[in-house]
Amino acid sequence: MALGKRHGGTMVPLAIAMLASVCIATVGCTGSGGTPSTPPARSGVTADSGGAASTMGNPGPAPPRTLAAVTTAGAVVLLDPVSGRAIRTLRGSGAVGDSLAVSPDGRSVFYEVGVGCQHQVWRIGTDGGDPTIIASAGSKPAISPNGTSLVYATQYFDCSPGDNPTAGYQVVVVNLTTHAERRFPMPPGRAASGLPAPVTHLSWSPDGTRLAVSVGSAEDNEGWDLVTMSPSTESYYLQDDGSGAVPLTAAEKGSFYYEGVYMPNGHLFVVRQCCGGYPPVTTSVLLQEVDPATGAPLHQIATGLTSKTHTSLDVDAGGHWLLYLSGTDLEVSSDGAKPTTLASGYRAAAW
């Protein structure tokens, strides 16, 4: 069966830039979370090839003050955003998934814990202290731009969903002050099919009125989608008629969006990839900035390695800095320069 069958739109490229300093050795995390590997020196070359000229040596915007990550061993750590060194371990083990969220004030980190059939969402302060549970069933956390609301997904991990395999698939928005929740299930037609629509990533629009929902494969590598929805007016996190899906241009038909997040300018930073044959084989991976209305590529940030997955996309509040994981390598970029490897040994990261 063909990959990306459910996609129908275009993608827009995104401007990514390379950090201007030379990376120094990563310091290992303390506690039981394991030690990230040392990142390579930043010579202007990264595992993924960039789409813009390097600005190394030229002064640029200062990187965000807070950079959090989850090691492959499950530790939640803070990294120096310039050197890539691990500077504090917030939780020694137990974190999973490729999604992480840092509050706008940089004081809290929201992360996923691999406990229970549907995992859990926790919060911990960047100054340490005891973590608190936000959702006893949840994954893929994302914090709103004003810091008042958290969105997460409920779905099943390595367990049986019972007689109704689609009932537990929801997107949930919770007010962090009042704890009021709004739940958005799968649409009736999709739910009746018995096939899940797993959520792989969530992101808020810059004005906090819309969500970008990345949907993974339902069966046989089909069903990949990237949709935008309004929590204030819509009842489901995707629609039976495909409305809300970010389109692909005619030139990009057959490819699909693996993941996408909003940028402060309202565009989307996406991973678009394509495949061939059956079983499907990835033949191209492009990291781009795209127009969410037309899918038209606006800027190509990098060409990814087909041997790696590209996940955990994030953009800082100022729109200057982007990051993503290429496999377990943390790639960063600033103001149009090539992405560069900041550190290695991670499964999730966020500004």
Side-chain angles (χ1 to χ4, degrees):
M1 303 173 81
L3 268 180
K5 177 179 178 182
R6 298 173 62 88
H7 290 282
T10 22
M11 299 190 55
V12 186
L14 167 60
I16 289 189
M18 183 168 68
L19 287 175
S21 61
V22 175
C23 187
I24 59 180
T26 299
V27 176
C29 298
T30 59
S32 58
T35 303
S37 59
T38 301
R42 291 197 229 151
S43 61
V45 178
T46 181
D48 295 336
S49 58
S54 168
T55 58
M56 177 175 286
N58 297 327
R65 299 177 65 179
T66 304
L67 173 57
V70 176
T71 72
T72 54
V76 181
V77 300
L78 295 181
L79 304 180
D80 183 312
V82 175
S83 70
R85 293 182 299 173
I87 56 178
R88 173 175 289 176
T89 298
L90 302 179
R91 177 170 177 145
S93 63
V96 298
D98 56 18
S99 296
L100 194 68
V102 176
S103 63
D105 61 9
R107 295 180 179 180
S108 297
V109 177
F110 300 84
Y111 58 95
E112 181 179 341
V113 175
V115 173
C117 186
Q118 294 184 303
H119 291 182
Q120 297 176 343
V121 175
W122 288 70
R123 171 173 55 189
I124 193 168
T126 52
D127 58 354
D130 295 330
T132 57
I133 189 168
I134 300 297
S136 57
S139 60
K140 313 299 180 183
I143 188 75
S144 63
N146 62 9
T148 62
S149 297
L150 188 79
V151 63
Y152 60 88
T154 63
Q155 48 204 329
Y156 300 102
F157 298 93
D158 301 320
C159 59
S160 172
D163 295 334
N164 189 347
T166 62
Y169 287 82
Q170 298 182 342
V171 167
V172 183
V173 175
V174 58
N175 184 296
L176 294 174
T177 301
T178 66
H179 308 293
E181 291 183 350
R182 287 173 289 164
R183 292 181 172 266
F184 304 88
M186 292 171 55
R190 187 67 179 269
S193 73
L195 293 177
V199 174
T200 58
H201 207 76
L202 293 162
S203 172
W204 292 86
S205 64
D207 61 3
T209 63
R210 298 191 68 81
L211 292 169
V213 183
S214 300
V215 178
S217 173
E219 186 178 63
D220 296 333
N221 209 26
E222 288 193 346
W224 296 94
D225 223 335
L226 176 59
V227 302
T228 65
M229 56 89 67
S230 168
S232 64
T233 62
E234 298 180 38
S235 301
Y236 308 104
Y237 69 86
L238 72 168
Q239 302 298 321
D240 283 328
D241 62 3
S243 59
V246 179
L248 290 162
T249 62
E252 291 143 354
K253 295 293 185 181
S255 63
F256 63 95
Y257 296 107
Y258 193 87
E259 189 172 298
V261 297
Y262 273 108
M263 302 174 64
N265 62 6
H267 297 161
L268 291 169
F269 173 28
V270 302
V271 178
R272 182 170 62 82
Q273 62 187 63
C274 194
C275 59
Y278 187 82
V281 176
T282 300
T283 57
S284 69
V285 178
L286 300 175
L287 291 106
Q288 301 176 317
E289 177 181 356
V290 306
D291 182 335
T294 66
L298 303 176
H299 179 80
Q300 182 149 313
I301 301 150
T303 300
L305 298 176
T306 58
S307 60
K308 294 186 176 184
T309 56
H310 296 73
T311 60
S312 205
L313 276 61
D314 197 23
V315 186
D316 81 311
H320 294 289
W321 291 90
L322 303 107
L323 65 77
Y324 63 95
L325 289 177
S326 174
T328 62
D329 295 334
L330 175 55
E331 305 287 331
V332 297
S333 172
S334 166
D335 279 350
K338 294 178 181 179
T340 188
T341 305
L342 179 64
S344 297
Y346 296 95
R347 63 174 52 166
W351 302 114

